[in-house]
Amino acid sequence: MKEVLFQKIEAQKERLWEMADFIFDHPEYEGKEYQAADLLTSYLEQNGFQVERGIAGYETAFRAVYENGTGGPSIGILCEYDALKGMGHACGHHMQGPACLGAAVAIKELAGETPFKLTVYGTPAEETLGAKCDMVKKGCFLELDAAFMMHGSPTTCTDVKCLADRSFEVVFHGKGAHAALAPEKGKSALDGLLIAFNGIEFLREHVPDDTRMHYTMTELPGPANIVPARAVGKFSLRSFSRTNLELVVERFYDIVKGAALIAGVEYEIHPKSDFYNKIPVLKLNRLLMENAELAGAPRLSPPRERTGSTDFGNVMYEIPGSCIRVAFVPEGTASHSQEFLDAGKSQAARDCVLYGAKSIAGACWDLIGTPGLMEEVKREFAENKKKFK
């Protein structure tokens, strides 16, 4: 059956490649991915999926459902299609939609007597807004028993843990004055920001080992002879444990408040991102890797034990999930790089679409057709949520 399943993906390959090339050639960003969303949803409708567009408050987010009978597992396949501002598809998101659609259509065409529900979610603005975070809060994905994604990569592998991330913009408001003639009349907003930076440095001694804290000044304060009336900084706090991160965030708020008191200025804190850590489900990782091997994907590698932050973490914090990373660029190539961009329409990228589709389709087929497997996945998820929360 896997051979037939993979053949049904191969039968779609020219159309899948056309879609990937079109999305690559027409990069769109930040929830405005109109052409990509229309292309993907039209293909799903043509292949018998019930499509709902503009979900969760995002014009380019969508949900496409195919239900085979009633009951059975409910499986989701999530795809991204946004590009990087100023670079285009230097992260390979143009391959995700076609790969996910290829998998979904193949499963639908091979549907037999076993009941299942298959949902393709279109998730925009991963690079900028982290739309999945908001979509989870609005009830998306929560009906699923498990969710899969794919991503282009230097090696074919899965991930275990990722960093939870809370980021903030902090604005200090002081009082401008001439620094030489009337410094006593000024209150330096820049002093407040610099004291906050120093407060973070003192905090480093008192946080768990996996905590990451970084910051930058996002606006220049002005000439040296003027007491700055405004200063703006960006702070990012990360940990592999969302629970531990919240304790760090509490200390961060105190640091900003204390910095403002020392400088005699006012402040505003604007939360920006809130990415959760993944709850790993190694059974799902193994399913994807077994099917990637069966499909002949290149450079099979051990899982990445620790990775950065992603809005897919917010999904995997609530339901079992996994993402297969499929090799299409040389080992050591960084994402968001010119090398990633240059490889976007290569034969390796085309192959990546098919390997990703086959890995996901095979894993979905295993969950649909193997009695008790989904229950094992759910048990592991529940156990790991106690460990990794």
Side-chain angles (χ1 to χ4, degrees):
M1 293 301 288
K2 290 282 181 73
E3 185 177 343
V4 177
L5 186 66
F6 291 174
Q7 287 172 355
K8 290 189 176 296
I9 291 170
E10 288 284 341
Q12 303 173 68
K13 67 182 181 182
E14 295 296 337
R15 185 70 185 110
L16 301 181
W17 292 344
E18 285 176 10
M19 287 192 285
D21 286 351
F22 180 88
I23 296 171
F24 183 88
D25 290 336
H26 300 83
E28 299 169 293
Y29 324 92
E30 208 163 59
K32 306 297 181 185
E33 308 89 348
Y34 300 115
Q35 294 179 88
D38 182 64
L39 185 70
L40 298 173
T41 53
S42 295
Y43 188 74
L44 286 162
E45 280 183 330
Q46 292 163 13
N47 284 279
F49 283 74
Q50 299 298 311
V51 177
E52 182 183 0
R53 296 174 173 85
I55 64 172
Y58 291 92
E59 291 179 293
T60 55
F62 64 84
R63 179 192 295 111
V65 179
Y66 174 77
E67 194 155 10
N68 189 56
T70 57
S74 177
I75 304 172
I77 305 175
L78 281 54
C79 60
E80 301 162 351
Y81 31 90
D82 63 320
L84 290 159
K85 283 188 173 181
M87 282 201 77
H89 281 283
C91 201
H93 288 184
H94 64 294
M95 298 183 290
Q96 287 191 27
C100 292
L101 269 55
V105 170
I107 294 166
K108 181 246 178 187
E109 289 184 353
L110 201 58
E113 298 298 322
T114 305
F116 65 88
K117 184 176 180 180
L118 185 63
T119 304
V120 179
Y121 269 104
T123 64
E126 188 271 340
E127 299 288 1
T128 51
L129 304 178
K132 294 184 200 65
C133 304
D134 198 32
M135 292 175 74
V136 169
K137 291 177 183 177
K138 293 177 180 176
C140 295
F141 319 117
L142 302 182
E143 80 280 11
L144 304 175
D145 293 318
F148 292 113
M149 279 189 61
M150 71 80 63
H151 208 292
S153 175
T155 61
T156 299
C157 64
T158 55
D159 299 336
V160 179
K161 294 195 291 184
C162 77
L163 286 162
D165 173 40
R166 294 286 305 279
S167 66
F168 304 87
E169 180 186 73
V170 179
V171 183
F172 288 96
H173 298 283
K175 183 179 179 182
H178 196 289
L181 300 179
E184 73 281 0
K185 294 181 179 179
K187 293 182 178 180
S188 174
L190 180 60
D191 286 353
L193 184 60
L194 294 177
I195 293 166
F197 288 168
N198 277 281
I200 294 295
E201 295 306 318
F202 286 120
L203 181 60
R204 290 191 195 279
E205 185 182 356
H206 306 289
V207 296
D209 288 344
D210 70 355
T211 304
R212 304 288 183 267
M213 301 182 291
H214 25 279
Y215 50 77
T216 189
M217 189 183 301
T218 57
E219 292 183 13
L220 293 176
N225 64 341
I226 299 296
V227 176
R230 174 182 165 91
V232 184
K234 172 79 178 292
F235 297 79
S236 185
L237 313 172
R238 306 189 198 222
S239 169
F240 288 104
S241 165
R242 179 172 174 255
T243 302
N244 290 344
L245 183 59
E246 290 307 310
L247 300 176
V248 177
V249 169
E250 288 180 18
R251 296 288 302 273
F252 164 74
Y253 270 82
D254 287 342
I255 285 170
V256 174
K257 180 180 178 181
L261 287 171
I262 292 170
V265 298
E266 303 297 321
Y267 71 94
E268 303 169 27
I269 299 179
H270 303 287
K272 292 298 180 181
S273 66
D274 186 7
F275 293 164
Y276 295 4
N277 57 284
K278 294 176 179 178
I279 306 299
V281 181
L282 301 186
K283 279 185 172 57
L284 292 181
N285 285 5
R286 285 194 291 271
L287 284 181
L288 286 173
M289 289 300 294
E290 287 167 3
N291 283 283
E293 183 176 12
L294 190 62
R299 295 197 294 281
L300 301 176
S301 302
R304 304 191 307 174
E305 292 293 333
R306 296 187 169 199
T307 66
S309 305
T310 171
D311 61 359
F312 191 39
N314 294 55
V315 180
M316 287 181 57
Y317 200 85
E318 304 297 339
I319 63 171
S322 182
C323 176
I324 182 73
R325 297 182 177 274
V326 181
F328 84 108
V329 290
E331 288 193 59
T333 304
S335 60
H336 297 199
S337 67
Q338 188 63 42
E339 290 79 7
F340 244 68
L341 187 67
D342 292 343
K345 292 175 72 174
S346 64
Q347 186 57 49
R350 291 184 161 198
D351 294 341
C352 179
V353 171
L354 300 184
Y355 290 133
K358 292 174 183 179
S359 302
I360 290 175
C364 289
W365 198 256
D366 290 332
L367 289 175
I368 292 167
T370 308
L373 183 56
M374 186 66 82
E375 286 68 28
E376 292 179 21
V377 166
K378 289 182 177 181
R379 278 196 297 272
E380 184 186 348
F381 176 75
E383 291 167 3
N384 285 348
K385 190 154 189 178
K386 298 173 186 175
K387 301 177 189 175
F388 297 103
K389 205 165 185 178

